[in-house]
Amino acid sequence: MQELSCLKTKSSSPFPNDILENPVYNMDSFPNLLAINQPLNGWTSILHNGFAKLHEPGQFLSQILHTDFIQIIGQENSDYYYFLYFSKGSLIREIEVDSMQLIVFTDIGEKFSFEKNPILTDDFEDESNFFDVDTLELYCKEFLIDIPALYKPSDFILLKK
């Protein structure tokens, strides 16, 4: 991973607070900090400090490792949410929404059996109509990814510029 990311400094940490304290807000910039933790439920998670969509690295990793790659981005302040899923190099699903403005920017791939249809509605009375952090957590649970567990102290390997 260090070679693929071109990040140079390697260290260990129980939790990478730098990720929360030093975000890279430019959506076109690759993160400058990756924190890799031990596998959980068959997944190795990589936390990072950026908002860039990781299409190329995701496709590449899923293809060369013959595995699945999922990226989620959630920004509760602006109600921006993103879900990306590659399997063995093939794009399976991509969703990008602004729940506050009720805009679906991207909706690519076949809907999963657990997905609601439509992804987003303007029925503000029913919170189940929102695509939000709870929705991202639901998607991840379907793939046996426990988001709260990602933030527990663990042995993280940190890669920095």
Side-chain angles (χ1 to χ4, degrees), residues 48-99:
H48 60 85
N49 67 334
F51 290 95
K53 299 176 204 168
L54 302 178
H55 268 261
E56 289 178 23
Q59 182 179 22
F60 179 75
L61 286 172
S62 74
Q63 185 171 2
I64 66 164
L65 299 175
H66 302 284
T67 191
D68 293 337
F69 174 93
I70 292 177
Q71 178 189 15
I72 60 169
I73 299 173
Q75 178 50 265
E76 288 183 283
N77 293 343
S78 63
D79 269 345
Y80 172 84
Y81 301 97
Y82 181 74
F83 178 87
L84 177 66
Y85 174 42
F86 281 98
S87 183
K88 298 179 181 143
S90 296
L91 176 64
I92 303 298
R93 194 77 176 102
E94 183 177 18
I95 302 168
E96 179 183 17
V97 302
D98 177 335
S99 291

Side-chain angles (χ1 to χ4, degrees), residues 71-138:
Q71 178 189 15
I72 60 169
I73 299 173
Q75 178 50 265
E76 288 183 283
N77 293 343
S78 63
D79 269 345
Y80 172 84
Y81 301 97
Y82 181 74
F83 178 87
L84 177 66
Y85 174 42
F86 281 98
S87 183
K88 298 179 181 143
S90 296
L91 176 64
I92 303 298
R93 194 77 176 102
E94 183 177 18
I95 302 168
E96 179 183 17
V97 302
D98 177 335
S99 291
M100 186 180 297
Q101 301 295 322
L102 297 175
I103 299 170
V104 177
F105 296 112
T106 307
D107 183 1
I108 298 172
E110 252 183 70
K111 292 194 181 306
F112 297 118
S113 61
F114 58 84
E115 268 186 67
K116 58 189 173 192
N117 192 14
I119 291 174
L120 194 61
T121 70
D122 60 0
D123 180 2
F124 293 108
E125 300 295 318
D126 184 358
E127 287 187 18
S128 69
N129 290 323
F130 296 124
F131 191 97
D132 56 13
V133 71
D134 294 331
T135 309
L136 286 179
E137 194 166 331
L138 170 73

